[in-house]
Amino acid sequence: MKKVISGILVAACLGLSFSTTCAAARQIQVDGVNIRTAAYPEVKNGHVMVPLRTISENLAATVQWSTYGVTLTNRNSTITLKPDSKVAQNNGKVISMDTSPYIKNNLIFVPLRFVSEAFGSKVNYDKVRVTIDSPSLRINGVPIKALQQEYHMTMGGIVQQIKGDAYNQAIYDIMLKYKGKEVAEPANYSWQYMIDTLGAYYKNSEYQFLDDKGDSQLRYDTYSLVGDFPQEMLKDYPPSLIYDANQDKWYLFSETANEAIRKLIDTADQNGFMRTISNTIL
């Protein structure tokens, strides 16, 4: 069971020498949320070490394992680490760390400050917590404070918001990466799953990127093709579309992207970054 980090960090904090302030720290907070992890942080050689999942999930990074070690990737950096080695790579550049990752109880522990700052996040501490703050997503120069997702089912719908900067940036990047060429507006589309209409699209979700006043700076809607027809009949219809409400334009999209976004949203929800605004599902 995951637990909120609350153990006292002793002997050192984030590579700093021992102090009363550091020794009293009781929580790790990422983008304003007290994060949960499968194990408490530890101190090794004067550095706070945390389970890899703590970093990868809460900074919206992807993880790949290889014979060399583990690679963490977000929009800023690709970091490769190896257990029991102080040699790491950041965007292909070889770097020597002050302490090496290690495996304990089938978990790999990594240096918190090194990984967080390599991902562009700021690390600070006070008497009760260590804080990691990710850069805010900016759209047209405006800082984005929340990503609002809305979706509907047969009876009712849900509106919820993510306030984790790293998650919001990652989801925005996926939308830009997989948004394809502009296409014509489909003849039939709706929140409803129209099983009797060839070429109909159902709306997966509506995403609004909100500023600090709650105003939408950008809205994307994602759609999937209703597939209850023989594949031969569907060959001329793209399987996924994305609608840019600001430009009133439609573009090709990807089910791979839809799945990646859903995975990020599920992880954000599990880790406490999601807030439900309304739920009218019966």
Side-chain angles (χ1 to χ4, degrees):
M1 180 182 297
K2 294 184 177 180
K3 302 177 181 178
V4 176
I5 297 175
S6 60
I8 297 177
L9 305 182
V10 297
C13 180
L14 300 174
L16 302 175
S17 59
F18 178 83
S19 68
T20 302
T21 299
C22 182
R26 292 176 177 268
Q27 295 176 336
I28 291 182
Q29 194 176 82
V30 177
D31 294 340
V33 173
N34 295 330
I35 62 174
R36 301 185 289 265
T37 182
Y40 292 112
E42 299 181 349
V43 176
K44 181 181 179 183
N45 299 331
H47 296 268
V48 175
M49 310 292 290
V50 294
L52 174 68
R53 181 172 291 181
T54 300
I55 294 296
S56 63
E57 286 190 353
N58 293 290
L59 294 181
T62 60
V63 178
Q64 288 185 318
W65 295 89
S66 67
T67 55
Y68 176 82
V70 59
T71 299
L72 291 77
T73 304
N74 78 348
R75 71 187 305 265
N76 294 312
S77 297
T78 297
I79 304 169
T80 301
L81 305 167
K82 186 176 183 179
D84 302 317
S85 174
K86 293 183 179 181
V87 178
Q89 291 187 18
N90 186 358
N91 291 335
K93 181 180 179 181
V94 177
I95 297 174
S96 179
M97 299 182 292
D98 293 329
T99 191
S100 58
Y102 57 89
I103 295 175
K104 181 178 179 180
N105 297 330
N106 294 320
L107 297 173
I108 181 169
F109 284 74
V110 297
L112 175 59
R113 179 180 284 278
F114 173 79
V115 176
S116 297
E117 293 188 346
F119 281 161
S121 300
K122 294 182 179 179
V123 181
N124 295 290
Y125 68 93
D126 58 27
K127 292 183 178 181
V128 295
R129 68 176 61 88
V130 174
T131 61
I132 305 171
D133 295 314
S134 304
S136 294
L137 166 65
R138 289 177 175 267
I139 296 178
N140 297 325
V142 179
I144 300 302
K145 297 301 181 182
L147 170 60
Q148 181 166 292
Q149 181 205 23
E150 179 178 350
Y151 64 91
H152 290 260
M153 302 182 74
T154 303
M155 299 292 289
I158 293 179
V159 179
Q160 52 195 5
Q161 290 183 0
I162 301 175
K163 291 199 172 180
D165 290 323
Y167 286 105
N168 295 342
Q169 181 72 66
I171 292 169
Y172 176 74
D173 288 345
I174 290 171
M175 291 174 172
L176 290 189
K177 177 180 178 180
Y178 287 94
K179 186 173 76 171
K181 69 177 183 179
E182 185 178 349
V183 295
E185 177 183 353
N188 296 287
Y189 56 92
S190 170
W191 281 111
Q192 303 301 317
Y193 194 93
M194 298 178 286
I195 60 175
D196 58 347
T197 304
L198 178 64
Y201 288 84
Y202 65 93
K203 191 173 180 178
N204 295 304
S205 288
E206 176 180 301
Y207 300 97
Q208 297 202 56
F209 294 87
L210 308 179
D211 61 21
D212 58 356
K213 296 179 181 179
D215 296 330
S216 177
Q217 293 296 317
L218 178 65
R219 189 186 112 199
Y220 280 133
D221 304 340
T222 60
Y223 288 82
S224 292
L225 178 66
V226 175
D228 294 355
F229 290 87
Q231 290 301 306
E232 180 65 22
M233 299 177 66
L234 297 173
K235 65 180 182 179
D236 294 328
Y237 298 97
S240 301
L241 297 173
I242 187 168
Y243 172 66
D244 185 331
N246 291 48
Q247 298 183 22
D248 189 23
K249 292 182 178 181
W250 292 79
Y251 300 89
L252 296 178
F253 203 48
S254 161
E255 280 303 303
T256 299
N258 279 327
E259 181 58 32
I261 292 171
R262 284 192 289 266
K263 184 177 180 180
L264 280 170
I265 289 175
D266 287 345
T267 305
D269 188 17
Q270 294 166 11
N271 288 318
F273 290 86
M274 185 80 74
R275 179 170 66 99
T276 298
I277 306 301
S278 66
N279 185 344
T280 58
I281 294 178
L282 301 178

